[in-house]
Amino acid sequence: MVEVIWSEVGKAKYAEWEKVALPQQQKQKALREFCENALREDYKNSLFRLGSNNKAQSCGALYENIEDEMIDINSSDFLEIDKTTFEVSKLKSSFVEKKQTLDDVFDKAAEYYKPTEVPEFLCCKITMDLYRDPVITPSGITYERAILLDHLEKVGKFDPLTRAPLQAHELITNLAIKEAVKAYLAEHAWAYKTY
């Protein structure tokens, strides 16, 4: 019965997170695209402001390759614009730096919504699921209470890992792990799906 309740709580918490997360992810994606387009447009406009139309046309060819590796400023495309070679190189470097910063900011913002591995210390040694009601044995190993009690009843009165004798009354709630799981779920609500 307890497992059913925990399962339903986990499903409800995950659904609650998903209701907020999906629209937020879509907003972040749209904002990222907008910022990237604005950055590209600024780069393109800066290239065209560098000089006359002929020079700008040569610079405009550069715009088509802005996502590629740094362009060789000694290539034949630049022979006509020797005076602006340095400025074009600076613009390209500035664009690449700004694009990297933009990527870093959006990647960091997306971490909240990106599932990762749950740390092992927050998972039961038997089920490998997040703890719900962790208990510690006299040997210092933490288990999920319901799973360990089931083991003691069906398999035998011993610790599943150490094989040391163990009675149900010797189990103590591991409050530190319980609080750690609570804190982890507060920052990584997607983990409720496995809860």
Side-chain angles (χ1 to χ4, degrees), residues 157-180:
K157 306 276 187 212
F158 59 90
D159 186 304
L161 292 180
T162 66
R163 303 286 192 208
L166 180 64
Q167 298 293 321
H169 67 83
E170 296 177 288
L171 304 177
I172 300 170
T173 301
N174 191 332
L175 296 174
I177 292 293
K178 196 170 194 172
E179 286 302 311

Side-chain angles (χ1 to χ4, degrees), residues 31-146:
L31 181 59
R32 184 179 199 152
E33 288 173 4
F34 176 81
C35 291
E36 287 173 350
N37 288 337
L39 188 59
R40 285 186 187 94
E41 195 60 32
D42 180 59
Y43 177 72
K44 181 179 177 182
N45 291 338
S46 296
L47 284 174
F48 282 102
R49 282 192 303 267
L50 274 179
S52 68
N53 284 342
N54 288 342
K55 291 178 184 176
Q57 290 301 324
S58 298
C59 293
L62 239 177
Y63 170 72
E64 301 302 322
N65 299 316
I66 59 176
E67 300 287 340
D68 296 341
E69 294 191 25
M70 293 297 282
I71 295 172
D72 179 11
I73 60 172
N74 295 318
S75 72
S76 60
D77 293 340
F78 288 100
L79 294 178
E80 299 174 11
I81 54 170
D82 279 340
K83 292 180 182 178
T84 60
T85 298
F86 181 69
E87 287 83 5
V88 169
S89 179
K90 280 183 11 182
L91 283 174
K92 175 70 176 182
S93 295
S94 175
F95 171 81
V96 169
E97 184 180 321
K98 288 176 184 175
K99 176 78 167 76
Q100 184 60 53
T101 301
L102 187 67
D103 288 344
D104 292 346
V105 167
F106 279 100
D107 290 347
K108 183 70 174 167
E111 282 180 11
Y112 176 77
Y113 303 105
K114 196 180 299 180
T116 58
E117 286 289 318
V118 176
E120 275 188 41
F121 75 95
L122 298 178
C123 297
C124 177
K125 307 286 185 274
I126 298 171
T127 65
M128 298 309 293
D129 289 334
L130 270 171
Y131 287 115
R132 296 176 182 130
D133 187 14
V135 292
I136 192 165
T137 64
S139 60
I141 299 175
T142 301
Y143 299 98
E144 179 61 37
R145 181 185 303 273

